[in-house]
Amino acid sequence: MFPRFVAPLLSKNFRRRQTANTEYSVAWDLQNRPEFHRRVFSMAWRYRWAEPRHHLNWRFDLLDLNYVYMPWISETFKRDYLDDVDNRNAILRYNYEDIFIMKMGFGLTYSDGIDAFRLNVESSGNLLSAFSKALNFKINSQGQRTFINIAYAQYAKADFDYTHLVRFDDRNVLALHAGIGVAYPYGNSKVLPFEKRYFSGGANSVRGWGVRELGPGGYKGNDGRIDFINQTGDMKLDLNAEYRTPLFWKFEGALFVDAGNIWTLRKYDEQPNGQFKLDKFYKQIAAAYGMGLRLNFDYFILRFDMGMKAINPAYESGDEHWAIIHPKLSRDFAFHFAVGLPYPVLDTHRQMEVGLFYEVGFLPDGVHLQKIICGDADGGVRSVVAEVDVVDFYRGILSLGAQQVHIRLMHVAGSIAEPGFRTLGAVLLSLGELPVEVVGGE
């Protein structure tokens, strides 16, 4: 990652004034299951920049490449599911083939500490499709055009999330959240790549179900070996309300109600009742309720949520459908462990406050921080960084869109370390662009 734009046709003065960076990334992901081994190699080139005055962060994925490779699939799994003439599961077969994903994307986030939204849009395969005939791309046995002998994915996808906090007082908050996502395969693809499909249930969705246990629509999974594939979709809806309050020490409590589901946009025989239809989808919205316990350690939150099904769209009896009236613990209960809140609202553009706790050393290239704790004025964003150069730290603050740096000398005022901290403030101030204030400790 570079704390500036790496792009042609931009003046040095423009790049100096922007709180922006260019990001290059390379990743290698390994997934080994008893049925198969999956490898995903990824490379990306993207830009990020912020508009602090408007609480906005932007992201543009200029190029994002993913190569999904299946080096091994068990013979039993092949025989029972992939090669069986009686089991023509198009979704299953497609997700066990090598595939190349070449996408471009755009992202926008807004957060002022009360309201937040996130928009992401991406498309894949269009550039390859435009040149496929001119470059005479080969066609495989499935009728797909290939790039370097690998079928490429072609789809469009958009996601939108909105969160609003209702603050009753300093201790009690009601968080309201809504999210929708739609993805459509076309051209060279009839099915979305597995990595791009939606799933429902789990700690950040409808918490009466486990991960990938809900949907699509009224579909009910019946084969544990492949349900994680079949219980995915092309469209997702999430509606959540959560009341949060502190209890004692570092413990916090929560009560929540969740609703939502996933659907497919096309009809697939292997996912009966899973297709989105205007006259049926509202009858297939699942609902859950529950309570949670959280351990807030400032730098991170451990979350324990216990959910119960209220309305189950994949039912075989009236009791199972209206679980809120006929609860059954063994059937309707789900427990979730997660790190962080399910849909936080953070204001990273307000005044950044830095509490300095440990000694500062002096190096030839400037002040070197041994340990810092940083967060916004309300403690909403916090992280621990060890052994970081002050210039890099300053650039990191800029990339978050901070408008001011406020250094509070906590537990060191009047001690031998205080001059070092004040020197740190002077160094930060000398770097330019942000106002820096240094005040005494507690």
Side-chain angles (χ1 to χ4, degrees), residues 15-80:
R15 290 194 293 262
R16 182 184 62 82
R17 289 185 287 106
Q18 294 299 309
T19 56
N21 59 64
T22 300
E23 179 181 308
Y24 301 111
S25 64
V26 178
W28 174 253
D29 180 69
L30 291 83
Q31 182 184 9
N32 291 339
R33 290 178 58 93
E35 304 91 355
F36 64 86
H37 293 172
R38 184 192 299 268
R39 306 289 183 262
V40 182
F41 177 72
S42 305
M43 297 179 63
W45 176 5
R46 60 178 57 94
Y47 297 113
R48 299 181 187 273
W49 68 98
E51 289 188 45
R53 293 182 180 180
H54 300 100
H55 306 282
L56 292 170
N57 282 284
W58 306 75
R59 188 200 77 251
F60 175 58
D61 299 327
L62 181 63
L63 188 63
D64 193 328
L65 306 177
N66 295 266
Y67 171 43
V68 181
Y69 172 55
M70 305 291 299
W72 176 81
I73 302 174
S74 76
E75 292 300 324
T76 302
F77 193 79
K78 279 185 180 181
R79 182 182 66 249
D80 293 346

Side-chain angles (χ1 to χ4, degrees), residues 124-286:
S124 173
N126 295 328
L127 188 62
L128 290 173
S129 181
F131 288 96
S132 61
K133 291 184 179 180
L135 298 178
N136 196 26
F137 286 180
K138 294 181 180 179
I139 299 177
N140 64 15
S141 59
Q142 305 295 326
Q144 296 173 294
R145 294 190 179 274
T146 62
F147 174 70
I148 54 174
N149 293 323
I150 306 168
Y152 62 87
Q154 192 170 8
Y155 65 88
K157 183 177 182 180
D159 299 275
F160 181 79
D161 285 270
Y162 173 74
T163 304
H164 175 71
L165 297 186
V166 180
R167 296 187 181 274
F168 301 108
D169 52 43
D170 292 339
R171 296 171 57 86
N172 298 281
V173 175
L174 177 65
L176 304 174
H177 169 261
I180 186 170
V182 181
Y184 186 72
Y186 61 92
N188 211 45
S189 297
K190 295 182 179 179
V191 180
L192 282 173
F194 178 72
E195 289 76 14
K196 300 300 178 180
R197 294 178 68 81
Y198 296 102
F199 65 89
S200 193
N204 298 313
S205 184
V206 186
R207 283 167 279 187
W209 282 259
V211 178
R212 302 183 191 276
E213 291 184 355
L214 174 59
Y219 171 77
K220 186 178 181 67
N222 53 26
D223 189 334
R225 296 181 67 186
I226 61 172
D227 281 342
F228 72 97
I229 291 286
N230 281 337
Q231 296 199 261
T232 58
D234 309 321
M235 178 179 179
K236 181 175 182 177
L237 174 67
D238 273 328
L239 301 169
N240 316 88
E242 182 173 281
Y243 171 72
R244 303 165 181 168
T245 185
L247 300 176
F248 62 91
W249 191 51
K250 297 184 180 297
F251 287 94
E252 299 177 355
L255 299 174
F256 59 82
V257 176
D258 301 325
N261 205 335
I262 55 173
W263 293 268
T264 62
L265 296 182
R266 296 184 177 186
K267 183 179 179 181
Y268 298 106
D269 293 336
E270 51 272 10
Q271 294 175 311
N273 299 318
Q275 186 180 18
F276 178 84
K277 294 184 178 180
L278 280 175
D279 60 342
K280 292 180 61 176
F281 86 95
Y282 62 92
K283 301 176 184 178
Q284 297 173 334
I285 295 177

Side-chain angles (χ1 to χ4, degrees), residues 87-104:
N87 181 27
R88 296 298 186 183
N89 192 322
I91 297 175
L92 193 66
R93 290 198 309 273
Y94 183 81
N95 284 284
Y96 286 92
E97 297 173 352
D98 297 350
I99 192 165
F100 183 73
I101 303 173
M102 179 180 178
K103 73 179 183 73
M104 298 178 65

Side-chain angles (χ1 to χ4, degrees), residues 370-413:
Q370 188 173 35
K371 185 175 183 181
I372 62 172
I373 298 176
C374 59
D376 69 17
D378 293 333
V381 183
R382 298 191 177 186
S383 62
V384 178
V385 182
E387 300 298 330
V388 59
D389 181 80
V390 66
V391 176
D392 292 335
F393 168 64
Y394 181 81
R395 287 172 174 168
I397 292 176
L398 281 178
S399 69
L400 289 175
Q403 295 175 317
Q404 181 180 6
V405 179
H406 179 81
I407 299 177
R408 184 173 61 189
L409 306 183
M410 303 175 65
H411 307 295
V412 297

